[in-house]
Amino acid sequence: MRILNIIQCTELGGMEQASLRLMQCLQDRGHEIKVISLNPLGALKEHLDKSGIEAVGMEYRGALGWRSLPTLYRILRGERADALMMTGSNLLAMLTLGGIARGRRLLAMHFHHSVRPDWQWKLFYGLAKRRFDAISYPSDFVRLEAETIVPSVKSITRTIRNPLAVPEKASAEDKAAARRRYGLPPQAKIIGNAGWLIDRKRFDVFLRTAAVVAVKRPDVRFAIAGSGPENEKLQALAQELGIADRIHWLGWIADMRDFYLSLDVLLFNSDWDAFGNTPVEAMTYGIPVVASVMHGGLGEVITDRRYGYLIAEHDPERLGSAIVETIDQPDAGNAENGRFRAVTLSDPARIAIEVEKILQGQIAELSVPEPTRILSS
């Protein structure tokens, strides 16, 4: 099939990276992909080029992009497509689809619904039901949000996890080299997190938990990968908490492999997350996860202590105690259990087959094989 993927933008956020992995999986199954970005091509373009995925960007002009509609309409009229995906929500872009790939359309939603009032979502899903044959979500949490706001959408909704590559288990030498790359002390215990430094990602909770751990474990250091508008405020908080000299600010990292290999524990905190790619990716590397998420789908992966530590309140004392316990008992088993759990739920081959069936118009005939098991090594 020739598949068009209309996406809001092509930066390196979680939505864009999840979409890239899905497109690569579909490519591996013999399909041709083209990306149409509603904004000028961003940092994802380099990865699209490496994968041989054609991409075209456009200017996003006017409120909600309404002045860009003629350009998008013209682009789509010149395309031949057997199937169509739209990644992310764009009400006006749906109006331009016309008859292209009718009966083989998937809307892939990646965000929680608290960002807009319910009346806007009702308008959006009212149109989406008439334009798409299926709507996917990376977690039951965010799918159920949509079904609560617009119950009638349930007939075409489906939970389809974000596909994740399965990294090879790293050696001690690999881990040491990863730490050298970022200037992290080789013998210290490293607690880290990565993401946009924005309010809802609660890096302030990370720092307050770090302060708790620092009192109990002088051998621990902390690493934060990412950037964003909260950067200066967070660095000031680290100074206030007296832990500034124990925090390594690594900035934005395009390839996260060495970052994950550097960690002993990933500490993740968030008010709202559709799924939470960072902790699940860490789990695929065999990194234990300690997390607090007030609203999100991570609990569908970390269902109990076999797979990690997850609470629904931002409690630095409880989180700090869990981190110290995890460091002191590195062979407790939840790292390997977590790795198997994350890889099973995010198996690329299984997810690609499920999406392929939707794009072939065979939604009622979905028959998905068991997820690929990883062998112990």
Side-chain angles (χ1 to χ4, degrees):
M1 289 187 295
R2 178 174 169 81
I3 303 168
L4 286 185
N5 185 4
I6 302 173
I7 191 168
Q8 184 70 34
C9 62
T10 50
E11 298 304 329
L12 282 174
M15 178 186 76
E16 293 87 353
Q17 294 190 51
S19 185
L20 173 65
R21 287 190 291 267
L22 175 58
M23 289 187 287
Q24 291 168 334
C25 292
L26 290 169
Q27 269 191 322
D28 291 343
R29 295 188 59 77
H31 303 297
E32 179 185 355
I33 316 289
K34 181 173 181 178
V35 169
I36 298 174
S37 173
L38 301 179
N39 282 275
L41 296 176
L44 192 71
K45 183 179 184 302
E46 177 184 350
H47 300 274
L48 293 170
D49 289 344
K50 287 180 180 178
S51 298
I53 297 174
E54 184 183 357
V56 59
M58 50 187 283
E59 294 294 329
Y60 195 68
R61 299 181 297 119
L64 301 178
W66 74 268
R67 295 182 62 189
S68 303
L69 290 185
T71 302
L72 179 59
Y73 184 87
R74 186 168 59 252
I75 290 173
L76 290 177
R77 296 294 82 75
E79 291 290 343
R80 177 190 63 80
D82 302 303
L84 181 140
M85 294 190 297
M86 180 177 286
T87 303
S89 59
N90 190 290
L91 181 68
L92 294 179
M94 288 194 287
L95 297 173
T96 67
L97 298 182
I100 191 169
R102 191 177 295 279
R104 297 185 171 195
R105 295 178 180 173
L106 169 65
L107 172 61
M109 298 290 289
H110 287 263
F111 215 68
H112 55 86
H113 294 79
S114 67
V115 294
R116 298 177 189 168
D118 284 1
W119 70 265
Q120 290 187 11
W121 287 119
K122 290 176 181 178
L123 179 63
F124 173 80
Y125 282 119
L127 181 59
K129 288 188 299 179
R130 297 193 294 273
R131 292 290 192 273
F132 291 93
D133 305 286
I135 306 175
S136 69
Y137 302 86
S139 66
D140 293 334
F141 166 78
V142 73
R143 175 180 57 80
L144 291 171
E145 277 190 328
E147 294 174 3
T148 299
I149 297 169
V150 186
S152 62
V153 82
K154 187 175 181 179
S155 61
I156 61 170
T157 56
R158 190 174 186 90
T159 298
I160 299 179
R161 310 289 179 185
N162 293 333
L164 294 176
V166 182
E168 295 182 1
K169 289 189 176 181
S171 66
E173 291 76 13
D174 292 331
K175 292 177 176 291
R179 290 194 175 191
R180 286 195 298 270
R181 176 177 179 182
Y182 296 119
L184 298 173
Q187 302 305 320
K189 297 295 184 181
I190 305 294
I191 313 303
N193 191 20
W196 293 108
L197 304 186
I198 55 178
D199 183 63
R200 70 176 176 86
K201 289 295 187 178
R202 300 309 302 268
F203 279 88
D204 61 316
V205 177
F206 178 97
L207 293 175
R208 295 185 189 282
T209 304
V212 172
V213 175
V215 172
K216 300 178 180 180
R217 291 295 298 258
D219 60 328
V220 172
R221 297 295 183 269
F222 307 90
I224 294 177
S227 61
E230 295 285 300
N231 199 325
E232 290 186 11
K233 183 191 294 186
L234 291 168
Q235 294 203 30
L237 178 59
Q239 289 282 355
E240 178 186 326
L241 294 170
I243 57 172
D245 61 338
R246 296 174 69 167
I247 307 291
H248 297 262
W249 303 88
L250 305 182
W252 184 258
I253 297 174
D255 185 343
M256 294 291 288
R257 177 181 180 274
D258 282 351
F259 175 75
Y260 290 128
L261 294 186
S262 298
L263 303 184
D264 292 288
V265 179
L266 184 113
L267 170 62
F268 181 81
N269 314 100
S270 178
D271 286 343
W272 289 90
D273 257 293
F275 188 50
N277 281 332
T278 299
V280 182
E281 284 184 341
M283 290 168 71
T284 68
Y285 282 86
I287 305 301
V289 170
V290 172
S292 61
V293 178
M294 295 184 68
H295 309 279
L298 186 58
E300 296 162 31
V301 182
I302 304 177
T303 54
D304 56 60
R305 288 297 301 272
R306 289 176 298 169
Y307 307 121
Y309 181 88
L310 174 65
I311 57 177
E313 305 83 24
H314 298 313
D315 186 333
E317 290 292 338
R318 290 174 64 192
L319 293 166
S321 296
I323 288 171
V324 172
E325 180 182 337
T326 301
I327 291 172
D328 288 343
Q329 301 177 31
D331 299 322
N334 71 354
E336 186 58 33
N337 291 338
R339 182 173 190 260
F340 178 75
R341 174 77 170 165
V343 169
T344 298
L345 289 178
S346 303
D347 178 60
R350 175 181 59 82
I351 291 167
I353 290 172
E354 191 163 1
V355 171
E356 179 184 72
K357 290 288 186 182
I358 291 173
L359 295 178
Q360 289 175 336
Q362 301 174 23
I363 301 171
E365 303 172 24
L366 284 175
S367 178
V368 182
E370 288 295 314
T372 302
R373 294 181 62 89
I374 55 173
L375 302 177
S376 299
S377 60

